Amino acid sequence: MYETLIRENLPRVREAIDAAARRGGRDGSRVTLVAVTKAHPPEALQAALSAGIRDLGENRLEELEGKVGLLGRDAATWHMVGHVQSRKARQAVEAADLIHSVDTVKLARRISRFALEMDTRVSVLVQVNVSGEDAKSGFHSSEALEAIHEIVELPGLDLRGLMTMAPFVDDETVLRRVFGGLRRLQDDAEDLEGYTGRELSMGMTNDFELAVEEGSTMVRIGTA
């Protein structure tokens, strides 16, 4: 079942990414498709890998740990895209190749601490709550640059860019405001000493085409 679904859906998603990238004046091959496998069994991940997908993401840390344990750390590039509690920072460092959701300086410091203990470097993205919704995690846009400045200096971390989640709405104006806001914040962050991040993780099934048009370099796709 999963092989059939992915075989049918993946070309359409990739074509949509390519078309959106062209509309934004970019090459679609520069946009990473992260397949989010939340609540799906290992068979779904195997089908995705067989179809050539190499980036797999999870919203829940426990689920990520379980799937990494079954398939192996080298089977894919593993993305932690959901909220990470500070007390679970060690597990995130052990399981994920890229943590998208660093939403507090406290969490960043704990990840840094465990990276040093494990003698490794951890790739992270800073999550920004561009929309300002109370229900969403992340730094407010007004405080993000200060947080980025502090996080980029922490040892053991590779700060590769920024992440945001847009409101679940159909209003294109609202969505473009959020995605464009993160892109502009990225432009501002480039002036910070030591910051070399280039990734913009933004866009999900309902809004990834707009996100790519606005500059996304990583889309987190589950349902599609």
Side-chain angles (χ1 to χ4, degrees):
M1 178 183 72
Y2 284 108
E3 288 183 358
T4 300
L5 285 171
I6 293 174
R7 187 169 59 248
E8 293 174 350
N9 293 333
L10 181 58
R12 288 198 291 266
V13 172
R14 290 204 186 278
E15 287 171 9
I17 291 172
D18 288 342
R22 287 195 298 272
R23 291 194 295 272
R26 296 187 299 140
D27 183 348
S29 66
R30 303 289 296 274
V31 180
T32 300
L33 169 59
V34 180
V36 180
T37 57
K38 175 184 176 182
H40 290 287
E43 291 78 12
L45 283 74
Q46 293 284 15
L49 293 171
S50 296
I53 294 174
R54 288 294 172 263
D55 293 84
L56 301 177
E58 287 295 335
N59 293 78
R60 296 179 62 253
L61 185 55
E62 292 78 8
E63 195 166 354
L64 176 64
E65 289 179 295
K67 289 172 178 174
V68 171
L70 284 172
L71 297 180
R73 184 66 184 266
D74 295 333
T77 298
W78 298 96
H79 298 251
M80 180 59 201
V81 302
H83 177 66
V84 177
Q85 295 174 303
S86 293
R87 64 185 178 85
K88 296 185 177 180
R90 177 186 286 277
Q91 293 103 296
V93 170
E94 292 172 339
D97 294 298
L98 177 61
I99 302 171
H100 290 231
S101 47
V102 174
D103 55 4
T104 66
V105 174
K106 177 183 177 181
L107 175 60
R109 288 173 178 158
R110 286 184 65 81
I111 293 172
S112 170
R113 169 188 160 191
F114 292 123
L116 293 177
E117 286 184 7
M118 299 176 197
D119 192 25
T120 189
R121 294 191 65 81
V122 181
S123 294
V124 300
L125 303 177
V126 166
Q127 182 173 351
V128 184
N129 183 0
V130 180
S131 67
E133 294 174 275
D134 291 339
K136 284 187 169 57
S137 299
F139 296 97
H140 191 277
S141 296
S142 63
E143 63 184 7
L145 286 177
E146 182 178 347
I148 293 167
H149 179 68
E150 185 168 353
I151 292 170
V152 79
E153 295 182 344
L154 293 173
L157 299 187
D158 286 328
L159 180 46
R160 291 179 52 194
L162 311 177
M163 183 271 258
T164 198
M165 297 178 63
F168 194 75
V169 298
D170 294 325
D171 190 326
E172 182 175 326
T173 301
V174 172
L175 296 173
R176 288 192 184 277
R177 185 183 304 125
V178 170
F179 297 141
L182 193 71
R183 187 191 66 247
R184 289 187 291 274
L185 183 63
Q186 175 85 300
D187 292 342
D188 292 339
E190 290 177 356
D191 293 331
L192 297 175
E193 184 178 355
Y195 182 75
T196 59
R198 293 291 181 269
E199 302 290 358
L200 289 176
S201 172
M202 55 187 194
M204 298 164 64
T205 290
N206 63 306
D207 55 23
F208 72 88
E209 292 177 73
L210 288 176
V212 172
E213 289 179 21
E214 292 293 332
S216 175
T217 67
M218 284 187 176
V219 291
R220 311 179 301 270
I221 307 296
T223 304

